[in-house]
Amino acid sequence: MEWISYIIAFVIALLITASAVVALRWAVKTGQFRDFEKGAETIFDEDEPMGRTADSFPGKAPPLAKPIIPNR
Amino acid sequence: MSNPLSNLAASLNPGTPVPVERAILREIDESTKAPALFFLVSGILWLLVGTVFALIASIKLHYPSFLGESEWLTFGNIRTAHLQSVIFGWSTNAAFAVALWLMARLSRMRLRHPGIVLAAACLWNLGVTIGVAGILRGDSTSIEWLEIPTYATPILFVAYALIGVWAIITFRFRQSQHIYVSQWYLIAALFWFPWLYSAAQIMLLFEPARGTVQSLVNWWFAHNVLGLWFTPIGVAAAYYFIPKVLGRPIHSYYLSVLGFWSLALFYNWAGVHHLIGGPVPAWVISAGIVASLMMVIPIVVTGINHHATMRGNWSALKYSPTLRFIVFGALNYSASSLIGSTMAVRSVNEVTHFTHFTVAHAHHGMYAFFTMVMFGSIYFMLPRILHREWPSASLISVHFWACAIGITIYVVGMSIGGVIQGLQMNDAENYPVFLDIVKSMNPWLHTRSVAGAIITVGHIAFAVNFGWMLFKRSPDAAGAPTLFHAPPAMDARSSAS
C-alpha cells in the first residue's frame, strides 16, 4: 500500500520537473532571453523613470540619483 | 460579463482573450489595497505574538523556572509556537502581501479577483490561529517545521491553493511583454510551495512514510520551505526594489536569469544535508552535499548583482529606508547562504550539527535576510497603497537600528556559542560530563535574550509607526517624497471619484 503513495509522489515530482523544463523551453521560444538590457529596464516607466531615486525618509527630499554609469 | 475584472468563470476559461490595456502604477497599487492591508496587518500582529513567544522561549533556556508553572508555556510548546507563528504567521503573510503587490505591478494590471485573495487571507490566518493554539494545547505533530496539528493544515492548504490559482490568473492576463526576473521567482515560489506542503503533509501526517523515508521527506520539506518559498520571495523583492529605488537597472540581467535557473535546478536537492551522519543511504547525503555546494552558483550570481548594482550608490542608504533594509537583507542573503553551503561539508557539519550554530543560521536566513527584506518592501509599498507618508522618520530609524544590531548580536553570539558547544561535544576526553557543556552555553544564551529584547524594541517601533500610518487622518500633499508623483490630470480624476 505504501508503495502506491511513493509512486504517486514520484510521478508528481516528475511532473513538477517537467513543468520547469516546459517553462524554460517556452521562455527560450518566446524570446525571454533576448535583449537582456531591455529586460532589466522593464520595471521603469514614465511614472517611475530611470535616473530618479524613488524612496527617501519621510520629510526629507529625495537625493538626486547619480548618473547611470554603464555597467558593461 | 458586466465587469470582466470580477468574472471568475471568464478568468478561468482558457479561451478568454487577454485585454490590451496597461494599467498605470497608481491604479495597480490602489487595486491591491484591501488584500495587501489584510495580509500586512495580520502579519504584523503575528510578528508581535511571535516575538513574545521567542522571548519566553529564549529566557526559559537560561532561567528554566520562568513561567514554569504554566503547562501551556513549556519550552516544547512555546518554541514550536514561536516557529510556526513567525514562519506561517508573520513571514508568509508578509510574503503574500509583497508577492501580490509585486505580481500586480510586474504584470502591469489591476488586481483581479480581490475576493479570492481576501478569502485566502481569512482562511490562512484562521488556519495559523487554530494551529498555534493547538500547539500551545500540546497537539504539536512533533515533526519539525510541520508542527501545526492536522486539524488546521487542510485550511492552510486551501488558502494557499487559492493564492496559487490567483497567481496563475494574474500571470495569464499580464500586460507585460517581458517577464522580469522577480516574476520568475514569484511564480516559481507560488507554484512550488503547494507541492512541497501537500507532499509533506500526506507523506508525514496523513499516510506517514516509514523508516528513514520519513526523515528524508521531513528535511526535504523543511529546507525547501526556506529555499523554494521564502528565498525566492526575498530575492524577487531585492531584484525589484534595489534597482527601483536607485533608479538604475540591475547590474547584469543575464546573471540574474542564470541565478534563477540554477536555484531551480539545485535547491530541491539540498535539504538532505540536515541528515549528515544519520542512517540514510550515503549516496543520498552525498547528492545533498553536492547540491548544497552547487548552490554557491546562484548565491554568488545573486550577490554580485545585488551588490554591484549598489556600487557607487552606497550613499543612497542614508536616504532610503527601503534600501537600507533591503541591502542589509541582501548582504545577509549572501553571507547566510555561503555559511549554509559550508555547513553542508561533512567535516564542518560534524562540529555544527545539533548545536546552537544551526539556530543562529536559521535566524540569519529567516530574519537577517528575509524579514529585513520584507520590512524594506513594506516601507516602499505602504505609502503607495495608502497615498500617505510614513508618519515618523525617527521610528523608522529606531526600527532599523534595533533590528540590525539585535540580529547581528544574535547571529554572532549564537554562532560562537554553537562552535564552542560542538567542539566540546566532540571532545569526550576533556568534557565527559554533558552538564558542563550545557552550563558553558549560559553566557551565549543570555546574549540571545538581550539580542531578542533589542529586536523587540524595533518591532514595537515598526508596529507603532504602521498603526499610526493606518489611522492618520489627513492624507499628505501630493509632493510628499516617497509618494508616487501623479500628473495633475490624474489627481483631478481621483478627487472627483
Side-chain angles (χ1 to χ4, degrees):
Chain A
M1 193 43 212
E2 66 183 293
W3 284 106
I4 295 176
S5 60
Y6 291 177
I7 289 166
I8 294 171
F10 188 71
V11 169
I12 293 175
L14 281 182
L15 288 176
I16 297 271
T17 314
S19 72
V21 176
V22 171
L24 184 57
R25 204 180 117 83
W26 173 86
V28 173
K29 277 180 82 175
T30 54
Q32 294 294 331
F33 299 141
R34 253 177 252 147
D35 200 356
F36 285 117
E37 278 180 44
K38 219 174 120 203
E41 290 165 11
T42 51
I43 56 167
F44 300 103
D45 67 357
E46 59 278 12
D47 295 330
E48 289 180 0
M50 257 199 291
R52 198 169 77 195
T53 314
D55 185 60
S56 68
F57 272 96
K60 289 180 189 144
L64 291 173
K66 291 202 171 172
I68 298 157
I69 314 143
N71 289 313
R72 300 160 196 89
Chain B
M1 282 302 283
S2 54
N3 183 359
L5 272 179
S6 60
N7 191 328
L8 185 58
S11 288
L12 293 175
N13 180 359
T16 307
V18 178
V20 275
E21 177 216 7
R22 266 166 78 94
I24 58 170
L25 290 178
R26 190 188 175 112
E27 291 175 329
I28 299 172
D29 294 344
E30 238 156 43
S31 72
T32 63
K33 187 172 175 179
L37 279 182
F38 194 120
F39 281 123
L40 287 179
V41 170
S42 36
I44 289 168
L45 290 176
W46 278 115
L47 178 70
L48 297 176
V49 171
T51 312
V52 172
F53 289 163
L55 278 177
I56 297 175
S58 175
I59 292 170
K60 272 172 178 281
L61 275 184
H62 52 78
Y63 183 46
S65 61
F66 179 66
L67 297 174
E69 66 283 355
S70 164
E71 63 190 43
W72 287 57
L73 303 176
T74 59
F75 179 77
N77 284 358
I78 201 84
R79 185 259 178 203
T80 310
H82 158 64
L83 174 68
Q84 295 297 326
S85 48
V86 293
I87 290 296
F88 291 127
W90 151 247
S91 300
T92 303
N93 268 314
F96 279 146
V98 171
L100 71 89
W101 185 81
L102 277 179
M103 279 286 290
R105 267 196 163 209
L106 290 168
S107 308
R108 286 308 295 223
M109 54 176 253
R110 281 183 296 273
L111 187 97
R112 286 174 93 93
H113 311 301
I116 297 187
V117 189
L118 278 172
C122 293
L123 282 176
W124 183 266
N125 285 291
L126 179 72
V128 180
T129 309
I130 298 176
V132 170
I135 289 169
L136 289 176
R137 266 186 72 209
D139 288 347
S140 158
T141 63
S142 78
I143 293 170
E144 230 180 325
W145 290 79
L146 272 181
E147 289 102 337
I148 288 190
T150 44
Y151 48 77
T153 49
I155 310 176
L156 294 180
F157 180 78
V158 171
Y160 205 102
L162 288 175
I163 300 274
V165 169
W166 173 84
I168 292 167
I169 293 175
T170 305
F171 188 72
R172 150 119 163 70
F173 288 95
R174 70 189 184 281
Q175 296 298 316
S176 47
Q177 289 295 308
H178 178 82
I179 301 168
Y180 187 66
V181 58
S182 296
Q183 213 169 1
W184 279 109
Y185 278 109
L186 293 171
I187 281 283
L190 291 164
F191 184 68
W192 285 329
F193 188 77
W195 167 51
L196 298 173
Y197 197 66
S198 55
Q201 284 290 321
I202 291 165
M203 293 187 75
L204 292 171
L205 297 174
F206 292 103
E207 194 69 46
R210 281 186 296 174
T212 53
V213 179
Q214 218 177 74
S215 51
L216 283 171
V217 177
N218 188 179
W219 285 109
W220 167 79
F221 169 76
H223 211 82
N224 280 352
V225 174
L226 301 170
L228 297 182
W229 167 233
F230 291 121
T231 301
I233 302 277
V235 170
Y239 266 128
Y240 185 79
F241 287 112
I242 293 177
K244 184 60 128 181
V245 171
L246 288 177
R248 60 185 302 204
I250 202 84
H251 171 72
S252 163
Y253 197 68
Y254 167 77
L255 283 182
S256 73
V257 175
L258 177 70
F260 171 76
W261 287 101
S262 49
L263 176 106
L265 190 59
F266 299 129
Y267 210 113
N268 191 29
W269 298 73
V272 217
H273 63 223
H274 282 270
L275 297 169
I276 294 172
V280 273
W283 70 266
V284 179
I285 291 178
S286 297
I289 296 174
V290 171
S292 305
L293 290 174
M294 292 303 275
M295 274 305 292
V296 170
I297 298 172
I299 297 162
V300 168
V301 155
T302 308
I304 289 176
N305 245 341
H306 289 165
H307 311 320
T309 308
M310 285 303 295
R311 202 182 52 194
N313 288 286
W314 295 98
S315 61
L317 292 180
K318 272 190 289 194
Y319 302 105
S320 164
T322 301
L323 208 57
R324 224 186 247 195
F325 280 95
I326 289 193
V327 169
F328 184 90
L331 287 170
N332 280 295
Y333 171 67
S334 303
S336 73
S337 305
L338 288 174
I339 292 173
S341 290
T342 317
M343 283 164 77
V345 177
R346 277 198 175 85
S347 52
V348 178
N349 198 271
E350 264 171 24
V351 177
T352 62
H353 206 174
F354 302 126
T355 69
H356 294 303
F357 197 92
T358 312
V359 182
H361 177 64
H363 286 80
H364 199 185
M366 272 313 293
Y367 197 96
F369 158 53
F370 183 78
T371 296
M372 291 300 259
V373 169
M374 288 299 109
F375 287 148
S377 313
I378 294 169
Y379 278 117
F380 191 90
M381 278 165 62
L382 211 55
R384 286 161 176 81
I385 291 175
L386 292 174
H387 295 300
R388 247 174 259 171
E389 189 55 272
W390 285 95
S392 164
S394 32
L395 281 176
I396 301 179
S397 285
V398 171
H399 178 206
F400 176 76
W401 287 111
C403 290
I405 292 171
I407 195 63
T408 308
I409 296 175
Y410 185 117
V411 172
V412 172
M414 293 313 274
S415 298
I416 298 172
V419 172
I420 295 174
Q421 189 187 15
L423 291 173
Q424 289 180 348
M425 286 203 292
N426 288 349
D427 185 5
E429 236 169 69
N430 293 316
Y431 295 93
V433 184
F434 185 69
L435 195 62
D436 290 345
I437 305 175
V438 176
K439 279 181 183 158
S440 73
M441 283 302 104
N442 229 334
W444 306 108
L445 297 174
H446 277 95
T447 310
R448 167 159 71 180
S449 292
V450 172
I454 300 173
I455 292 173
T456 309
V457 172
H459 290 170
I460 292 171
F462 178 52
V464 168
N465 215 1
F466 184 86
W468 186 358
M469 181 162 178
L470 279 186
F471 297 110
K472 204 162 80 164
R473 275 299 166 85
S474 56
D476 293 309
T482 62
L483 289 184
F484 165 59
H485 298 267
M490 269 282 310
D491 276 346
R493 201 169 81 191
S494 65
S495 59
S497 60

